[in-house]
Structures are given as C-alpha cells and as structure tokens.
C-alpha cells in the first residue's frame, strides 16, 4: 500500500512520562491499525529497551 502520511514527533516515546507515554500509545495504535499508510519519524529512543520498533524511522536528536 502507498504511504499517504508522515507522522513526526519530537517526543522520546521510550521515556515513561506524560508526553512520552501518550505519544507511544498513539504510535502503537497507528502501527497496529494504519501501518501501511504512514511513515513514522521519531526521536531515537533514550531507552530502546523500553520502546523500539523496526517499523519506525528514528533520527538522532541534536544538542
């Protein structure tokens, strides 16, 4: 299926705080329901042992 949308977030979804958990749940829903329609661009996880998904394209944060 053709990718129709790009989802970009600055939040680190591997961090267990309010924004991280909310974004993680949103991404998980999109991945389960709409995986083929989105390209996901997300900050590289600080804690990949908590959350990492190979269907997501991660970018390194700059300092």
């Amino acid at each position: 299926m053709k990718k129709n949308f790009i989802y970009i977030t600055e939040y680190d979804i591997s961090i267990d705080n309010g924004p991280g958990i909310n974004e993680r749940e949103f991404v998980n829903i999109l991945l389960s329901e709409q995986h083929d329609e989105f390209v996901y661009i997300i900050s590289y996880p600080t804690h990949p042992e908590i959350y990492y998904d190979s269907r997501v394209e991660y970018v390194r944060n700059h300092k």
Side-chain angles (χ1 to χ4, degrees):
M1 180 176 270
K2 180 181 166 190
K3 308 278 187 185
N4 295 315
F5 303 99
I6 297 173
Y7 177 74
I8 301 171
T9 184
E10 66 179 303
Y11 294 111
D12 182 342
I13 62 175
S14 74
I15 295 176
D16 288 335
N17 61 10
I21 291 170
N22 289 340
E23 292 293 316
R24 183 184 324 152
E25 290 302 313
F26 184 68
V27 167
N28 283 332
I29 290 168
L30 289 177
L31 286 168
S32 67
E33 302 291 327
Q34 305 287 330
H35 173 258
D36 292 337
E37 292 190 35
F38 283 81
V39 173
Y40 304 88
I41 302 173
I42 299 174
S43 298
Y44 192 83
T46 303
H47 304 284
E49 70 281 0
I50 294 174
Y51 188 87
Y52 183 89
D53 193 305
S54 61
R55 297 173 291 180
V56 171
E57 294 184 35
Y58 294 100
V59 294
R60 295 270 181 200
N61 289 337
H62 67 317
K63 297 189 187 242

